[in-house]
Structure formats: C-alpha cells, structure tokens
Amino acid sequence: MATENKALITLFGATGDLAKRKLYTSLFKLYQKGYLADHFALLGTSRHEMSDEEFQEMVLDSIKDIPAKDGEAEEFSKHFFYCAHDVTKPEHYAKLRDRLAELDKQFGTEGNRLFYMSMAPQFFGTIAINIKKQGLLTDDGYNRLVIEKPFGRDFDSAKKLNDELSQTFEENQIFRIDHYLGKEMVQNIQALRFGNPVIEALWNNRYIDNIQVTLSEKLGVEERAGYYDHSGALRDMLQNHIMQVVAQLAMEEPVAFTDDDVRVEKIKALRSLRVYTPSQAAANFVRGQYGAEGSQPAYRNEDGVDPESGTETFVAAKLMFDNYRWSGVPFYVRTGKKLADKFTRIDVVFKKPLIDIFANPNSGNEQALHSNVLTIFVEPKSGFALQLNAKHVGQGYTTEPVDLKFLQSDSAKKESPEPYERLFHDALEGNHTNFASWAEIAYAWKFVDVIRNLWDIEKPQFPNYTPGSMGPAAASELLARDGRKWVYDLNK
Ligand code: NAD
C-alpha cells in the first residue's frame, strides 16, 4: 500500500528537456500509485513568462502518452503552478517565497519543501544560497535539495559547489542524482551479493580474478554535442555512473540495509581505491574518439563539435582497491559512444581451478575449463547469468561452458519504475540509499583528476576507433598485458 507523501516541490528549470521528458512523467506515475495525492503541489520556475494554465498544459503534454483513468491527468495537472523567475536575480526569490507560502496552505503540505535543481550547473550554487537568504526554507517540515548532475568538473569545482550548497543545506538534506543508481539491476547488486552466501562467500580476491564494467552506447553525441564536447566520457560517465557501480561491487556488507549504513561502506570502499600517480594513470587509462563510418560523420565533424576537438568519446581504465578483500584484483571499466551496441553489463570473472584435471595436453587441449563468470545484465535486458563448466553431452568426456540464467520478463520490466520515478520517490521519503554522498563524489574526482590533468596537456592521436567497434585497440591491450580479455568482445 502506497503511503501518501505531503510535499511542496519547487522545480528550477521547469521548461527544460529533463523536466518535460522525465520529471513530470515520474511524478504522474507516483500520483497514479498513490505516493502523491491531494497534499502535493509543484511550483515550476524558469525565465519564460507563462501562466499557471499554460504550465499545466505543458505538463499535460509531457504525460500524454501515459495510460490514465478519465480525468486523472487533468486532476494531476491542477497541482502545478508557475512563476517566471531568473535565478541570478536575488529580488525574484521574494515572488517564489510568497507563492510557496500560499501553496503550502492551499495543499496542506505541512511545510515539507523539496527544491529540485534541473538546470545548468553553473546556477546550482547561486540558487542554494538564495533559497536561504531570501527565506524560502521552512521551519515546520523538511527542507530537501535534489540536484542534477554534473556535480563539478573536477575536485576543486565540486568542492566549491558543495561548500555553496552547505551554506543552506546539511549533507543529509542533499540528494545528488545519479540516475544509474535508480536502475533496477544496479540496485539488485546488493541483493545478489548480500542475499546469497553462495555468491558473497566467493566475493573476494581468493576467488575473483577480475571484474569488468561496460557502459556501452550505440549512438553518438546527438543533440548534446555542445555540452559533451566540454565534458567527455571521463567526466560524463566514468566519474559518476561507473564509480557508483564500482563502489557497490567493492563495498563491504553494511551493518543493516539503511541509507546511512550503505553510505558508510561505499565511502570506505572508495577510500581504498588507489589514486594513481600521473605515470601510473597514463598506463592504466585509455582514451578514444570515434572516426567517420560511411555516411556517418566522425565525432569532430558532428554539429556543435570543435573540428579539432580532443574530447574523448571513449574511456577505459583499470582500477585497483588496496584493501584486504580486493588486493590484486583489477576492476576494468569502459564506456563510450558509437560502440557496437547499447548495453550495460558487469562481468565478474572467477579464478580457474588450480588444477585442470580435464585438460588433455596429449591431444593439444592444454586447458579444458573456462572461468566461471557471473554477468549482471543491467540494460537493456535485466538479469544475471552464471557461466559454469559442464560435461558436453555425448560419448567421451569433454567439458563446455553453460549458463545458469535469470532474465526479468518483459512484463516485470514494464512494472518496474523508471530511474527518475524511483529516485523522486526516495527523495520524497528522505531515503539516501540511491544518491551519491559528497565524500563519494570527492573520492571519485580525486581519482579522475590525475588522468584529466594529464590528458588536458597531452594532445591525443584522434580519431582512434571505428563506429560499431568496442573502442580503440589500446582498450583490449589494457587487459592483454595482464593476460586477460574483455568478456564481452567482438573479436572472439
Ligand atoms: P535545459 O537547458 O533543457 O533546461 C534548462 C532550464 O533552465 C530551462 O527551463 C530554462 O528556462 C531554465 N533557465 C536557464 N537559465 C535560467 C535563469 N537564469 N533563470 C531561471 N531559469 C533559467 O536543460 P536540461 O536538459 O533539462 O537539464 C537540466 C539539468 O539536468 C542539467 O543539470 C543537466 O545536466 C541534467 N540532466 C539532463 C538530462 C537530460 O536528459 N536532459 C539527463 C541527465 C541530467
């Protein structure tokens, strides 16, 4: 049974792409399920002038494809209000303050305020500071801040932003969105690990040889070129999404499944991530940029991209954790655009038996057994598979790899909330489990800054991979030099 959340949401960036594509649809689904009902309202803001009615029309248009009961969408839209506002003008906040006070009374939201920043990151600090200075905070219920990515461009800018946010909000009031943490199978990592002794007992350097995380995109930069060219794969994907996934794979079991306990363990894991020296970083990171393919332009020739751009559209890295559980086990990660397919998966490669009794060197079969591999399919399919060795059916005795597989059905996947719905719900409930804490972000930036500083000085040899491949050859060499291979490899 859904419990109703009483909340007054202030949305900065209410006419933006994210709001229209993800936020209103997520709120509508929460409304349909009863997590939001009579006692909620949203005050949208952006620079455009618009009436409440026009804003409600915009919201209705955003949710028009979601099946709904008669009149449900219209009822929902009546909870939406609008106030034109330039976030850089302190005097404009007075309008918001007065409107919020009215809406709080009208909808009985009991002083619960959630501020959602869905706009360009250069405004985040200014908004936070003005929320307090101009009296938008409540003394009655809660004050929470939900903030979009990116959280800084490096450690220094992230720290500056965090210091600005901290002038208004305590750490436990801040919800930093990383939508990968809203994905079903990313959340499932913890159930899989801590719910199954058969897995967790082997989850260490005695049994695991290496772990691989791949976030592969098939598309290029599309309409995000302007933003992407100033960001690149390292900042856009590795520093946040990949580091969050890796932290869940590497963390120790929390004392209890509460947000505080999970957070403590993720932070501890990231503290033991080896921060490379510049020369180690150069050896353990690979960057790439896609070239042209047939009629498709090279990255440098995409609209909105600098024709001499040195921005990486691919990154791979080897991460090492210096702690008792993981010492000696590499975590290989990679992500890129215009790769072979769109998918996210994690491959946990177990060590082979010390002795392979099924090998038959006399017949040229030096190694019969394959590694056991646990694959977590994050998307588009959701589930996991465990590769085991089994006897090949038939006369004689040879072994072959077989899969124990669980894939979520299409109907289960349809039922599963989208990341933004899940995360909005968690923020309304005040649950931080699936949000990134400042300490996690700080460790991730410190790790990433070393290679970024190096790459910013050294001119890359771009382009260096073909669309439809799995990135530059150096990404395979990163593993080959350790005697290993990517489990998902087109060249098998
Ligand atoms: P957008 O450019 O589409 O929208 C920005 C919004 O901010 C608009 O409503 C605009 O009117 C408003 N705005 C701009 N300047 C303003 C000012 N001075 N005062 C008041 N309002 C102002 O951006 P978006 O794509 O919706 O992204 C919003 C945030 O979400 C960004 O932090 C982005 O990185 C993040 N994000 C977006 C996506 C996506 O798919 N669009 C995905 C992940 C994260």
Side-chain angles (χ1 to χ4, degrees):
M1 222 353 234
T3 315
E4 183 195 358
N5 288 282
K6 297 182 179 179
L8 179 51
I9 300 165
T10 310
L11 177 60
F12 297 95
T15 57
D17 173 65
L18 184 75
K20 288 188 201 159
R21 281 194 311 112
K22 301 279 182 193
L23 303 185
Y24 303 135
T25 50
S26 299
L27 287 172
F28 187 42
K29 287 181 185 164
L30 291 174
Y31 181 77
Q32 289 182 309
K33 291 173 188 167
Y35 292 110
L36 292 172
D38 297 337
H39 303 95
F40 98 94
L42 183 145
L43 181 59
T45 85
S46 82
R47 273 179 310 189
H48 303 71
E49 287 294 339
M50 205 188 323
S51 66
D52 287 342
E53 290 70 27
E54 283 166 323
F55 182 48
Q56 290 168 2
E57 280 304 317
M58 198 190 86
V59 171
L60 279 173
D61 187 57
S62 302
I63 62 172
K64 65 178 183 299
D65 294 332
I66 302 178
K69 291 189 230 137
D70 266 1
E72 196 176 27
E74 288 69 23
E75 277 296 314
F76 171 75
S77 74
K78 298 280 181 282
H79 292 256
F80 287 73
F81 302 87
Y82 186 80
C83 190
H85 162 79
D86 185 335
V87 296
T88 60
K89 304 251 163 63
E91 64 277 15
H92 282 194
Y93 287 81
K95 283 193 290 181
L96 293 186
R97 184 190 57 218
D98 297 346
R99 203 75 203 273
L100 287 175
E102 281 165 30
L103 291 171
D104 193 355
K105 269 202 205 120
Q106 188 180 337
F107 286 88
T109 51
E110 298 184 353
N112 292 334
R113 300 219 170 148
L114 190 142
F115 300 91
Y116 197 125
M117 292 184 193
S118 174
M119 24 189 322
Q122 72 261 30
F123 297 120
F124 292 164
T126 312
I127 303 173
I129 290 169
N130 278 301
I131 284 176
K132 183 170 184 185
K133 270 199 181 156
Q134 313 305 329
L136 272 63
L137 296 175
T138 166
D139 294 327
D140 302 335
Y142 60 68
N143 293 295
R144 290 184 192 146
L145 171 69
V146 182
I147 179 164
E148 271 300 331
K149 74 165 200 177
F151 202 92
R153 286 181 57 73
D154 51 22
F155 175 75
D156 289 343
S157 57
K159 173 147 187 354
K160 179 172 174 287
L161 169 59
N162 202 58
D163 289 346
E164 288 168 344
L165 301 184
S166 307
Q167 292 180 33
T168 301
F169 297 96
E170 308 267 341
E171 175 66 22
N172 67 6
Q173 295 175 309
I174 303 176
F175 296 75
R176 298 178 191 81
I177 294 262
D178 184 322
H179 71 276
Y180 264 73
L181 292 177
K183 291 186 190 281
E184 186 72 61
M185 286 309 295
V186 172
Q187 298 192 354
N188 214 333
I189 294 172
Q190 305 204 12
L192 206 57
R193 284 190 56 192
F194 306 124
N196 300 296
V198 70
I199 289 177
E200 189 56 15
L202 308 180
W203 204 260
N204 57 54
N205 54 7
R206 267 162 290 154
Y207 300 103
I208 291 181
D209 181 81
N210 71 91
I211 294 187
Q212 305 178 7
V213 178
T214 306
L215 274 61
S216 169
E217 296 180 276
K218 199 170 182 175
L219 294 177
V221 278
E222 311 303 301
E223 63 284 345
R224 287 179 75 222
Y227 162 76
Y228 193 87
D229 204 35
H230 290 101
S231 165
L234 185 70
R235 288 194 176 102
D236 193 46
M237 301 293 278
L238 190 139
Q239 185 276 337
N240 39 41
H241 309 319
I242 289 187
M243 296 299 279
Q244 283 295 328
V245 171
V246 165
Q248 306 224 18
L249 294 165
M251 68 190 266
E252 296 297 313
E253 179 163 19
V255 172
F257 194 56
T258 67
D259 50 1
D260 284 345
D261 290 309
V262 169
R263 201 164 250 206
V264 165
E265 297 305 337
K266 278 167 68 192
I267 294 170
K268 205 168 85 192
L270 291 172
R271 261 186 71 191
S272 56
L273 175 66
R274 189 182 303 167
V275 178
Y276 292 131
T277 62
S279 62
Q280 288 170 334
N284 288 302
F285 276 85
V286 170
R287 60 177 157 169
Q289 189 190 78
Y290 62 83
E293 170 83 336
S295 59
Q296 295 179 51
Y299 173 73
R300 286 176 176 181
N301 299 327
E302 301 268 17
D303 284 347
V305 173
D306 174 356
E308 301 200 353
S309 174
T311 301
E312 75 286 350
T313 58
F314 176 94
V315 59
K318 171 178 167 179
L319 282 59
M320 299 299 293
F321 288 89
D322 292 319
N323 60 25
Y324 190 74
R325 185 185 286 264
W326 294 118
S327 181
V329 180
F331 285 58
Y332 299 106
V333 303
R334 60 182 167 170
T335 182
K337 295 200 175 290
K338 285 265 169 118
L339 298 182
D341 211 346
K342 177 174 168 53
F343 64 90
T344 297
R345 64 186 270 166
I346 299 158
D347 295 291
V348 180
V349 183
F350 290 87
K351 290 184 176 169
K352 287 190 178 171
L354 293 176
I355 297 168
D356 184 345
I357 62 166
F358 302 104
N360 187 354
N362 294 338
S363 62
N365 188 1
E366 296 285 342
Q367 280 203 337
L369 297 174
H370 289 244
S371 297
N372 296 142
V373 180
L374 173 69
T375 300
I376 302 174
F377 299 105
V378 176
E379 61 186 358
K381 48 185 173 184
S382 301
F384 33 85
L386 180 61
Q387 178 180 279
L388 299 172
N389 291 296
K391 180 185 170 297
H392 179 69
V393 179
Q395 191 61 275
Y397 209 103
T398 52
T399 57
E400 64 178 353
V402 295
D403 272 354
L404 288 182
K405 208 169 196 174
F406 163 76
L407 285 183
Q408 273 158 10
S409 64
D410 287 346
S411 58
K413 274 172 74 177
K414 253 193 207 142
E415 291 291 303
S416 167
E418 283 217 26
Y420 270 97
E421 180 186 341
R422 226 179 260 273
L423 296 177
F424 230 132
H425 170 257
D426 289 355
L428 288 165
E429 304 249 309
N431 184 335
H432 280 94
T433 310
N434 299 309
F435 296 88
S437 68
W438 163 239
E440 292 160 49
I441 289 181
Y443 283 122
W445 274 127
K446 283 183 180 165
F447 175 72
V448 159
D449 276 357
V450 181
I451 190 67
R452 185 72 268 163
N453 293 339
L454 204 66
W455 282 352
D456 284 347
I457 312 168
E458 286 179 2
K459 210 171 153 43
Q461 299 284 319
F462 283 165
N464 63 351
Y465 72 94
T466 335
S469 69
M470 279 310 288
S476 301
E477 285 152 20
L478 183 70
L479 278 71
R481 83 176 181 214
D482 297 342
R484 298 187 173 98
K485 284 194 261 190
W486 292 105
V487 174
Y488 180 93
D489 187 354
L490 297 177
N491 303 320
K492 270 209 261 197

